[in-house]
Amino acid sequence: MAEPLSLHPDRLFNSDPIQRDIARRLYTKIKDLPIVSPHGHTDPRWFADNENFSNATALLVQPDHYLLRMLHSYGIPMQSLGFKSRIEGDDTPVETDPKVIWKTFAKHYFLFRGTPTSTWLDYVFVNVFELDQLLDEDTADAYYEHITAMLQLPSFKPRALFERFNIEVIATTEGPLDDLRHHHKVQQSGWKGKVITAYRPDNVVDPEFEGFEENLQRLAELTDTNLDTFDGYLESHRIRRAFFKAAGATSTDHGHATARTLDLSNEQKNALYQTIRSGNFNAEDADCFRAQMLTEMATMSIEDGLVMQIHPGVYRNHSQPLFDKFGRDKGADIPVSSEYVENLRPLLNKYGSHPKFRVIVFTLDETSYSRELAPLAGHYPAMKLGPAWWFHDSPEGMRRYRQQVTETAGFYNTVGFNDDTRAFLSIPARHDVARRMDCAWLAELVSDHRITEKQAHDLAYELTYRLVKHAYDL
């Protein structure tokens, strides 16, 4: 007999009855507020074309690197999940039946017990698809048929789900070479849903990015700009940033390996750029160029008003064999230790108190929360702290974040929550977790008589809704 599946109304609240009652009262007031999703990776094509999703596997399994990394860790081959090797001559059989792939996932769903992934997915299964039995090998077929059938209904088209989830605005992320055709199509459709973009220039800023020189050639063509000089190169960014801003962008995003910044002289910048363009550069040259470009992007943010986001501290594509065979976003990204005090000093010395500059800094290195990031954000007016991110986008990660940053940075130097996901259906689940965990933390402060319950209600609203809108100019 299949195990029942249900969501406890007090999930993630403290079992202490005093704290639990306070958390309930706080949550009741904010649980139905609109979702503001200021940074993520959903596909804008979904909202532009508004076509039904094809099946459960293509929507819920194959795009989700949280699922892929856990299944890979248990020895599940990527080919059995429907991914074909990019290596010429590799003729390893690839599973093409989405129902079979789903069954492989369902058979191993037990791997996700206690993880945020199961929290999100169980929420989706119950609240989106109205399922009431736990997913496992025995219920796999029924799940697949039920979900796939529901996905064909008009009420499950992307725009309908967007409205059902009460999403006020969602930001996708595109590179400078993107023509933003899907965003333009949304804007011209007459639909009232707000889908905006964000400027992610890594592929034309990082000299070690695959295809970097070819990307620059394309950038030159798109902007009709000569990139032989550093000034011409910077102008090409200004042109593309303006193009993105016209399509609704309010932010930029930078996924460098570190938060290192530099403030070089004009002579040094020009010489470094020529070294990079020659192709005869070393790893330190590439890192210096990325560091200088963060400062240049900050300068442009003051000019055009786009909010800057820095997402450092990830060793991307750690498994070279996996990357060679299957490419990016297959779950092989690993957090690394990060330093912020020295790395951000050149940028913050230049613009940290500038009234027109705002930089939101994220980390995957939790050891830096109380030692570096909270003190920095607690001093520099331009700097705000991004929420617990990626590997720490979890109940305990959110708790650790609030515990370590609040005493020094306070609540108002943070920016609410963002889901940073390409898994569209998990967005309400992720926001619900964040809302519950914030209410649980505030309830603890109230029960310890550190804030009043009236203050907690005000803060719950700020953390859920107002801070994110203010931080991202939404």
Side-chain angles (χ1 to χ4, degrees):
M1 182 138 182
E3 183 177 347
L5 173 63
S6 62
L7 302 176
H8 197 284
D10 290 333
R11 61 191 181 280
L12 305 180
F13 295 160
N14 198 297
S15 59
D16 174 79
I18 295 176
Q19 290 190 31
R20 185 176 62 235
D21 287 347
I22 297 171
R24 284 171 176 165
R25 293 194 291 271
L26 297 175
Y27 177 71
T28 298
K29 293 292 183 66
I30 56 91
K31 66 183 180 69
D32 295 323
L33 286 172
I35 288 175
V36 178
S37 179
H39 173 73
H41 302 277
T42 51
D43 189 343
R45 183 195 304 268
W46 296 338
F47 310 111
D49 296 345
N50 199 34
E51 296 176 349
N52 288 94
F53 297 105
S54 58
N55 60 71
T57 300
L59 177 61
L60 297 174
V61 178
Q62 290 173 323
D64 194 332
H65 58 87
Y66 286 86
L67 300 185
L68 300 181
R69 69 183 306 272
M70 182 67 83
L71 295 171
H72 183 267
S73 76
Y74 205 66
I76 309 301
M78 284 289 158
Q79 289 89 345
S80 69
L81 299 174
F83 297 101
K84 178 178 174 58
S85 173
R86 304 188 301 177
I87 296 177
E88 187 175 350
D90 186 345
D91 56 357
T92 304
V94 178
E95 182 56 65
T96 59
D97 187 338
K99 189 171 183 178
V100 173
I101 297 170
W102 179 268
K103 292 183 72 170
T104 298
F105 162 60
K107 181 179 179 180
H108 297 93
Y109 190 55
F110 68 90
L111 295 172
F112 298 95
R113 291 171 181 169
T115 70
T117 298
S118 67
T119 301
W120 301 328
L121 281 174
D122 286 349
Y123 180 103
V124 171
F125 295 152
V126 172
N127 287 335
V128 179
F129 294 111
E130 301 177 355
L131 290 156
D132 59 7
Q133 292 183 321
L134 193 70
L135 176 63
D136 57 23
E137 188 174 12
D138 294 334
T139 59
D141 286 344
Y143 254 76
Y144 181 86
E145 298 295 346
H146 177 81
I147 292 174
T148 300
M150 293 192 78
L151 289 176
Q152 309 315 308
L153 299 173
S155 58
F156 279 79
K157 287 180 180 289
R159 293 183 185 180
L161 290 171
F162 185 104
E163 294 167 359
R164 173 179 170 184
F165 295 160
N166 195 24
I167 297 175
E168 182 174 310
V169 57
I170 192 168
T172 65
T173 306
E174 279 73 43
L177 308 182
D178 196 291
D179 62 13
L180 303 184
R181 69 180 64 182
H182 303 305
H183 291 86
H184 295 146
K185 185 174 180 179
V186 169
Q187 292 167 0
Q188 295 163 9
S189 68
W191 178 53
K192 294 182 180 180
K194 188 173 182 180
V195 180
I196 63 176
T197 184
Y199 186 72
R200 175 75 172 247
D202 296 359
N203 63 352
V204 293
V205 163
D206 181 359
E208 296 178 314
F209 202 100
E210 61 268 21
F212 176 71
E213 189 61 34
E214 292 79 5
N215 293 339
L216 290 191
Q217 293 174 13
R218 177 62 178 147
L219 180 64
E221 295 170 359
L222 282 173
T223 58
D224 192 23
T225 306
N226 187 333
L227 302 192
D228 289 345
T229 67
F230 190 53
D231 285 343
Y233 170 71
L234 294 181
E235 180 61 19
S236 71
H237 279 287
R238 289 188 174 93
I239 292 171
R240 293 309 285 171
R241 288 169 65 109
F243 178 72
F244 272 62
K245 187 173 181 178
T250 67
S251 67
T252 70
D253 182 36
H254 308 273
H256 297 189
T258 74
R260 183 184 183 187
T261 61
L262 288 174
D263 187 18
L264 302 175
S265 68
N266 287 334
E267 182 179 358
Q268 291 171 318
K269 289 188 286 189
N270 290 324
L272 176 59
Y273 181 68
Q274 294 307 322
T275 298
I276 295 300
R277 291 305 307 275
S278 73
N280 187 26
F281 60 84
N282 56 34
E284 173 62 12
D285 294 329
D287 197 47
C288 285
F289 188 73
R290 289 189 292 265
Q292 181 61 39
M293 283 307 299
L294 283 180
T295 305
E296 300 297 338
M297 289 291 161
T299 300
M300 294 182 200
S301 284
I302 291 171
E303 296 169 354
D304 62 23
L306 295 182
V307 178
M308 187 176 190
Q309 299 176 92
I310 303 178
H311 283 85
V314 188
Y315 194 123
R316 297 181 186 271
N317 308 303
H318 188 271
S319 172
Q320 192 64 42
L322 193 72
F323 176 73
D324 291 341
K325 284 186 176 182
F326 304 107
R328 294 176 172 270
D329 301 321
K330 297 300 182 291
D333 299 332
I334 308 296
V336 295
S337 60
S338 302
E339 196 280 334
Y340 295 90
V341 175
E342 289 296 333
N343 277 337
L344 288 175
R345 189 165 184 262
L347 175 64
L348 294 175
N349 273 346
K350 192 175 183 74
Y351 295 130
S353 297
H354 197 292
K356 292 184 178 180
F357 181 56
R358 187 178 305 134
V359 59
I360 302 170
V361 180
F362 293 75
T363 190
L364 288 179
D365 182 0
E366 292 184 309
T367 66
S368 66
Y369 279 157
S370 59
R371 184 185 63 248
E372 300 178 42
L373 288 174
L376 286 170
H379 172 73
Y380 287 99
M383 180 174 164
K384 304 297 180 188
L385 298 185
W389 167 52
W390 200 341
F391 287 84
H392 309 307
D393 180 10
S394 64
E396 294 308 318
M398 293 172 186
R399 191 193 315 275
R400 291 190 296 267
Y401 174 84
R402 291 293 177 205
Q403 288 172 335
Q404 294 183 58
V405 308
T406 302
E407 290 181 340
T408 303
F411 289 106
Y412 290 87
N413 284 316
T414 64
V415 298
F417 175 70
N418 72 55
D419 47 77
D420 189 27
T421 185
R422 59 176 52 86
F424 179 41
L425 268 60
S426 77
I427 287 176
R430 293 167 191 252
H431 282 260
D432 186 63
V433 169
R435 294 176 186 195
R436 288 175 177 274
M437 290 308 301
D438 280 339
C439 289
W441 173 241
L442 293 169
E444 182 177 336
L445 298 184
V446 173
S447 69
D448 289 347
H449 307 292
R450 287 187 277 176
I451 61 174
T452 67
E453 187 164 335
K454 169 62 168 62
Q455 291 172 332
H457 278 285
D458 293 342
L459 283 166
Y461 176 82
E462 298 279 329
L463 296 175
T464 300
Y465 189 69
R466 196 195 70 83
L467 286 181
V468 63
K469 290 183 61 110
H470 176 72
Y472 287 87
D473 291 330
L474 295 170

